[in-house]
Amino acid sequence: MTDEQLLDLRLCDLPLRIAGTPMEKRLARLYDELDARGLRFKPHAWLSEEWFTPDNVSGFAIPFYLAHPRLIKLERRQMLEVEGGAEAECLRIMRHETGHAIDNAFRLHSRRRYREVFGPFMRPYPDWYKPEPNSRDYVLYLPGWYAQAHPAEDFAETFAVWMAPGSRWRRRYEGWRAMRKLEYVDEVMWELSGKVPNNKSRARVERLRDIKITLREHYEKKRRHYDFQWPPDYDRDLLRIFSSDDRHKSSPTAGSFLRRHRREFCSEVAEGTGVHSYAIDQMFAAMINRCRDLNLRLGLKEKQARQKVLVLLTVQTMNGIHTGYHRIAL
Ligand SMILES: [Zn+2]
């Protein structure tokens, strides 16, 4: 099937399941890790549109594309990155979701100490958050300083750091205010070791077979979610890298230089900042257009220009984060 044909299919018609895919093995590894921590709790998992743990459910949804290599390819073409595609990253996300699931299973958020340590679980989710990159009040686990998004995320992230094999959190977070959160999680998990949850809800929310939209509609929605208002004015920055001077009229155009490195720049900045590659690519496309409007050409050696573009993209991305970036999907 071509991508175009594939995009016309509805999610509910995709013949997918977790059994027999690499996701089955990854789940088994997650369960082993929980065993190693003395926890009998095992979250259930099902396929849906995205990664998420529904309220009050002691399991989590896995994005459908991870259940088939052809769909992983489509995801990469549509979104420029595959969240959870690589095994190590996938396990990180699953540990985070397990944090939400165990929180629900034992209703940990109803405890007074939980609220004192992490804040109110019932606080409405924000549409976006402004992370404080230097803060030592929060652990660092998923990208984008995600623990800062909401108390429930803070708990899930702290749990994930606690449970990750070889995380050495006592050493890593020595002197951080986040340590009291880790110690609280450690204390609660000791208490829960060997225990079976009171909330055994195996509910599966938004199962793939109930999702009637097409893949095309799904990706339109997903891209809208990651659309990002970039600061409009970076001409001055562009002119430090590129030139409209006649001296450089035989140099490659800025646009062709940027296009050539587009993939590499986007993934490098996405990795460093935790912002979705698609959002960065949006800025990149705007930048290419702006360079064409200003008739810019390469005015430096390629290597220097490459470094300067990376710095520019990173700075603009961080500015974007501070004006409010939403990556609230989990
Ligand atoms: Zn989460």
Side-chain angles (χ1 to χ4, degrees):
M1 267 187 170
T2 64
D3 280 5
E4 287 306 305
Q5 290 167 324
L6 206 49
L7 288 168
D8 285 332
L9 294 182
R10 297 187 305 170
L11 273 73
C12 58
D13 295 328
L14 297 171
L16 299 174
R17 48 195 295 185
I18 293 173
T21 71
M23 286 312 297
E24 188 181 28
K25 290 200 195 82
R26 293 174 183 180
L27 273 167
R29 234 183 102 178
L30 181 81
Y31 294 165
D32 286 346
E33 290 181 10
L34 286 164
D35 269 336
R37 293 283 177 201
L39 293 169
R40 270 178 75 188
F41 169 70
K42 305 285 178 293
H44 63 294
W46 65 97
L47 296 176
S48 183
E49 277 189 89
E50 295 298 338
W51 291 104
F52 68 96
T53 306
D55 283 346
N56 294 316
V57 174
S58 49
F60 55 84
I62 292 174
F64 63 93
Y65 55 80
L66 291 176
H68 201 285
R70 179 65 181 89
L71 293 167
I72 289 181
K73 214 164 131 191
L74 183 69
E75 176 78 11
R76 182 161 288 122
R77 290 228 189 98
Q78 293 288 318
M79 298 306 302
L80 309 171
E81 71 173 59
V82 178
E83 208 175 5
E87 171 147 320
E89 184 205 12
C90 185
L91 276 155
R92 290 171 85 82
I93 300 172
M94 289 201 292
R95 291 184 198 110
H96 172 99
E97 299 302 343
T98 302
H100 290 308
I102 200 168
D103 186 350
N104 293 338
F106 292 96
R107 300 196 59 75
L108 300 175
H109 50 266
S110 65
R111 299 181 177 203
R112 192 175 49 87
R113 280 261 287 141
Y114 179 113
R115 288 198 301 272
E116 282 166 8
V117 174
F118 295 101
F121 179 86
M122 298 308 283
R123 182 190 296 165
Y125 262 75
D127 290 331
W128 49 269
Y129 62 103
K130 280 188 196 183
E132 207 41 84
N134 296 323
S135 172
R136 295 192 159 209
D137 291 343
Y138 301 88
V139 296
L140 301 170
Y141 200 66
L142 291 183
W145 301 274
Y146 199 56
Q148 299 184 33
H150 186 271
E153 302 305 333
D154 193 6
F155 176 84
E157 288 284 274
T158 308
F159 173 86
V161 166
W162 174 86
M163 90 161 268
S167 83
R168 298 188 181 173
W169 54 269
R170 282 188 203 277
R171 195 191 300 173
R172 166 83 171 79
Y173 289 97
E174 200 184 320
W176 286 46
R177 274 169 53 86
M179 182 60 99
R180 72 201 162 94
K181 297 176 179 172
L182 284 157
E183 279 170 346
Y184 173 70
V185 167
D186 191 47
E187 193 185 303
V188 172
M189 294 308 145
W190 275 107
E191 176 201 318
L192 297 184
S193 68
K195 282 204 182 143
V196 181
N198 9 12
N199 172 6
K200 294 202 195 66
S201 165
R202 307 281 288 177
R204 289 151 199 260
V205 176
E206 290 173 36
R207 289 170 310 179
L208 203 59
R209 71 166 97 136
D210 299 327
I211 303 173
K212 309 286 183 208
I213 60 170
T214 62
L215 281 163
R216 193 183 309 282
E217 288 161 334
H218 161 79
Y219 281 117
E220 279 164 9
K221 189 171 71 166
K222 189 163 179 176
R223 283 197 297 265
R224 267 200 308 278
H225 178 77
Y226 286 115
D227 258 339
F228 198 4
Q229 277 310 109
W230 290 102
D233 186 20
Y234 42 81
D235 286 3
R236 228 168 22 137
D237 299 301
L238 291 177
L239 287 164
R240 272 199 283 266
I241 307 170
F242 304 111
S243 157
S244 56
D245 197 297
D246 264 356
R247 277 183 302 149
H248 300 110
K249 66 170 188 266
S250 57
S251 302
T253 64
S256 72
F257 170 76
L258 290 171
R259 267 192 300 275
R260 197 146 29 91
H261 295 286
R262 188 168 184 162
R263 270 289 166 84
E264 166 203 343
F265 285 158
C266 287
S267 63
E268 218 160 307
V269 176
E271 201 188 310
T273 60
V275 171
H276 198 289
S277 302
Y278 176 74
I280 293 165
D281 191 66
Q282 295 288 97
M283 173 165 77
F284 213 77
M287 198 181 271
I288 290 173
N289 284 337
R290 192 65 192 139
C291 285
R292 201 181 42 212
D293 293 346
L294 298 174
N295 209 4
L296 298 181
R297 290 176 176 272
L298 210 54
L300 301 168
K301 291 214 171 75
E302 288 235 0
K303 198 174 159 203
Q304 258 179 316
R306 189 185 168 282
Q307 269 169 355
K308 286 185 186 286
V309 170
L310 274 177
V311 172
L312 167 59
L313 275 170
T314 305
V315 168
Q316 294 288 3
T317 301
M318 292 309 292
N319 286 344
I321 284 180
H322 285 288
T323 55
Y325 171 62
H326 57 279
R327 191 178 183 155
I328 306 278
L330 308 172

